Amino acid sequence: MIKNYLKIAWRNLIHNRVSSMINIGGLAVGMAVAMLIGLWVWDELSFDTGYTNRDRIARVTDNSFINGQTETWGSSAWPLAPGLRSNFGNYFKHVIITSWTGDHLLTYGDKTVTQKGNYMEPAITDMLSIKMLKGTAKSLNDPTSIILSQTTAKAVFGNIDPINKLIKIDKTQNAKVTGVYENLPENSSFGDLTFIAPWQMLAISQNYPGRFNNPWGASWFQTFVQIADNADMAQVSAKIKNLKLNALRGLNNSDARHKSQLFLHPMGKWYLYGEFKNGINTGGRIQYVWLFGIIGVFVLLLACINFMNLSTARSEKRAKEVGIRKAIGSVRSQLIAQFYSESLLIAILAFFLSLLFVQLCLPEFNQLAAKKVSILWGNSLFWILGIAFTLFTGLIAGSYPALYLSSFRPVKVLKGTFRVGRLAAIPRKVLVVVQFTVSVVLIIGTIVVFQQIQFAKNRPVGYSRNNLLNVSLQTQDLNKQYQALRNDLLASGSVSNVSESESPITAIYISNGGFTWRGKDPVVQEQFNSMSVTADFGKTVNWQIKEGRDFNPAFLSDSSGFIINEAAVKFMGLKHPIGETIEWIGNGKYKIIGVVKDMVNQSAYETAKQSFFYLPKNWSQLSNINIKINPLVSAHAAMNKIKAILKKYDPSTSFNIQFVDDDYAGKFDNEERIGKLASCFAGLAIFISCLGLFGMASFTAEQRIKEIGVRKVLGATIFNLWQLLSKDFVVLVTISLLIASPMAWYFMHNWLQSYQYRTEISGWVFAIAAIGAMVITLLTVSYQSIKAALANPVRSLKSE
């Protein structure tokens, strides 16, 4: 019997080719989109889940009251870890202080490679359950040791056994390789940790002067903890909150005014819940997980709506078949099984076709999403969900013909007195409205996302990015020879100016407090972004002086001068800032010599923060060289000369040279990636909706073929008939637009509120979406409408 059901189901698919292709293709595309989004969501949710102790690991995080609001920092001062051990040791299994993971040079013989690594206390290997392939993790107790990931070991040593070999870190520190560990999970916060050096090596290093001199005054590091097995994360977090504040008060440190409150931020929330606003966790990437999860559900819903619409519409034409089957002895249960088997066959074919679509699309999808996801062929949950959904879809879509049509009385059907009635089309019309409502919301949302990106991209940045290069220094070799290097670069004719800075122009790494000035409100808890620069910095980046003057290397007094930005003038309440004295507690007095236009040094979506620039007292602070290419020289020729001169002064280093334009563009990577994914899914949603419209238009034209024939005989033109068949769909799409527009405005307005520097939602966005949806609808429907209108009325009016 089942074999017979499947045979008849297959024959029906072959007989109704167009309807079958639309059904299977549309459902397959919907399933494929849902599957891709599901793989993306799975990858996001599984971030940091590859560590055995994940639920007990946390980062010590700091809420400080600064500039009138609470700011949250993941960095910490070096005495924090010993303070936690001595005061709350019973609550922790491990307390570990680390530097920040960054690029370092590893040199073995004449080979130098750049790898990401970190200085960490030895217990990190136990905390992260690092699996050693060679050597032992305990070797990190030796301050001259280093352990490498298997990838780094291969990159540095090739096929040579690395154990006990000596390498140099950043060309200054000798280290002996004492172990090789298995690569950490890529999909994790420590995925890029390719070597670990002992914390003690950093503590005794001469590469970081000043970072250990002022115990609680500089938060250069990170502190990770693993709470004890019998401890509760929330309770431990509450107990440690005043540790830093009490230490600052004990030292009479002015930073105590910031009312620092420590808390534990669990590892499970680092990635998805990493955003804080005024000290409160406001989410993070989890909002995109929800967004794409909802999009996936709706796109799949659109495909299912097509399936159900066309299945129910087509099934009404099979009323006579039901009548004949009942007349010759079929019982209702057999008819139900027949309709369900057809529906399930379509769903199963669509599922396997969707797997093919996903496999073909994965390379492009991974590139677009910056992921490395793949179909979870060996995951039983994936197959259970896939098969369950396929069965569910098939049963739901087949329920109408199976339960409704099987209830027909054969006498009425075969006499020709059976009529479906007008109300039968209402559910289909409602579903079409739902389809286009979802599609239009996605279109409007995508346009607003790109509008916001362009709004931020076109924002005045306060300096010139054209032909500006940044060279990030990984060693102090070039710092020591900076003047000679600068002279050679300028003499080459390819460079118009050169300067050094503490951080690149597109970022500010340091913020400072402890300032007093005339008229300062004693209640103000100030914090300024700061950047140490050489005197030619302003000329190199072409910043815009609003008041006063630029640094002048001929003026010795400029070593005690500040150039501040407009935001700082406003924050300090200075009417005439030039010549005003600022006392930097612990660093002396400085005079304001100039005011520059606000520059976008950090997020392009935030307002500029109060900042100051000053000349360095310690040149080792400067780790970036800024180079302005001569506009009269081609960028390619200039780059070749610049690289040659850099190699002259440091032959073994592969320099990280980046155009500032590219670096600035990187600030938009996340939003652009989300926008591209959303636009891709919106396009597929429209495609699926159009498939449904095409199928419904085909069915409507077929259903009204005799009416069209009569109208043609009576003189109706092709335009009249096109108008007749299209108007119902235009009305449905118009209703969709009226529902979708306020919904889209509400969602996107709320989304924009998360940005300080944001665009406004313009009326043209809704106009474009409306016109686009209407044009697509008319193009989709017109093919079937015109085809029906051009048909020979003689054929359509012939008796069956």
Side-chain angles (χ1 to χ4, degrees), residues 353-622:
L353 185 59
S354 71
L355 288 175
L356 176 62
F357 286 166
V358 170
Q359 191 63 40
L360 293 174
C361 293
L362 269 177
E364 290 294 325
F365 178 78
N366 279 328
Q367 185 175 0
L368 180 63
K371 293 282 187 183
K372 293 182 180 180
V373 299
S374 58
I375 297 178
L376 307 173
W377 298 109
N379 190 312
S380 57
L381 180 63
F382 170 80
W383 290 105
I384 291 171
L385 290 175
I387 293 170
F389 172 76
T390 303
L391 295 176
F392 177 77
T393 304
L395 292 174
I396 290 295
S399 59
Y400 177 85
L403 302 177
Y404 178 59
L405 295 183
S406 63
S407 66
F408 291 166
R409 294 180 62 185
V411 175
K412 280 191 174 183
V413 173
L414 295 177
K415 275 185 176 182
T417 59
F418 169 76
R419 294 289 183 272
V420 174
R422 292 182 179 180
L423 295 177
I426 291 177
R428 291 197 295 275
K429 290 181 178 180
V430 171
L431 292 176
V432 169
V433 169
V434 171
Q435 273 190 320
F436 267 85
T437 298
V438 173
S439 299
V440 171
V441 168
L442 287 176
I443 290 171
I444 293 172
T446 301
I447 294 173
V448 172
V449 168
F450 282 111
Q451 187 184 11
Q452 168 67 358
I453 293 170
Q454 286 304 123
F455 182 73
K457 275 188 172 181
N458 296 332
R459 175 184 182 180
V461 295
Y463 61 92
S464 173
R465 301 192 305 269
N466 294 336
N467 293 321
L468 185 61
L469 299 175
N470 175 260
V471 182
S472 178
L473 304 182
Q474 293 171 284
T475 71
Q476 296 300 315
D477 289 1
L478 290 185
N479 255 343
K480 296 171 184 176
Q481 308 174 79
Y482 169 69
Q483 286 301 332
L485 170 67
R486 183 175 186 275
N487 292 337
D488 278 3
L489 286 170
L490 293 173
S492 70
S494 297
V495 173
S496 60
N497 221 319
V498 183
S499 64
E500 277 193 301
S501 57
E502 195 168 19
S503 58
I505 184 65
T506 54
I508 290 187
Y509 296 152
I510 310 297
S511 63
N512 286 287
F515 298 94
T516 61
W517 59 88
R518 188 174 62 171
K520 177 189 175 185
D521 185 343
V523 178
V524 170
Q525 310 298 315
E526 79 288 340
Q527 194 81 3
F528 288 80
N529 286 340
S530 65
M531 188 188 293
S532 179
V533 299
T534 55
D536 294 295
F537 177 79
K539 297 182 184 68
T540 307
V541 304
N542 195 27
W543 63 12
Q544 299 171 36
I545 301 287
K546 302 294 289 184
E547 293 183 58
R549 61 177 178 82
D550 203 342
F551 291 117
N552 190 328
F555 296 167
L556 295 176
S557 61
D558 279 6
S559 61
S560 296
F562 272 172
I563 291 180
I564 63 176
N565 67 351
E566 293 172 301
V569 174
K570 184 178 179 181
F571 177 78
M572 298 167 73
L574 301 176
K575 292 184 179 179
H576 304 288
I578 304 302
E580 287 286 347
T581 298
I582 300 177
E583 183 176 357
W584 188 357
I585 298 172
N587 292 280
K589 294 182 179 181
Y590 288 78
K591 277 197 175 182
I592 299 174
I593 64 171
V595 176
V596 293
K597 191 175 179 65
D598 287 337
M599 294 188 290
V600 180
N601 302 114
Q602 295 177 301
S603 172
Y605 300 105
E606 295 178 0
T607 55
K609 294 183 178 179
Q610 54 271 19
S611 308
F612 66 85
F613 303 84
Y614 65 106
L615 301 180
K617 289 183 171 60
N618 185 345
W619 281 62
S620 64
Q621 294 175 319
L622 306 181

Side-chain angles (χ1 to χ4, degrees), residues 113-133:
V113 298
T114 301
Q115 296 289 311
K116 288 189 179 296
N118 207 329
Y119 295 90
M120 298 175 150
E121 291 185 295
I124 191 68
T125 55
D126 184 49
M127 180 187 285
L128 300 181
S129 304
I130 289 176
K131 181 180 178 182
M132 299 300 297
L133 303 177

